Amino acid sequence: MIGLSVAVGRFVEALFWAILRVGGMVSVAVLGGVATLVVVGLVLRGVWRRR
């Protein structure tokens, strides 16, 4: 019974860390996309003003 409890605990812990890892990767991707859009917007704005 103790072995089963340890196995369930380790499974829950692994699931928790996997969810955090995926969430971290998604947040980094979203922040990178937003930063790219901001840079592109600033560049286009500068090009537009020169005309």
Side-chain angles (χ1 to χ4, degrees):
M1 191 58 117
I2 293 174
L4 180 61
S5 176
V6 170
V8 170
R10 287 190 179 185
F11 172 76
V12 170
E13 181 185 7
L15 187 63
F16 173 74
W17 287 114
I19 290 170
L20 284 182
R21 187 175 177 189
V22 170
M25 288 191 301
V26 168
S27 65
V28 166
V30 168
L31 288 176
V34 169
T36 302
L37 287 175
V38 168
V39 169
V40 168
L42 290 174
V43 168
L44 290 176
R45 190 174 172 188
V47 169
W48 191 261
R49 284 187 176 181
R50 286 186 182 178
R51 290 184 177 189

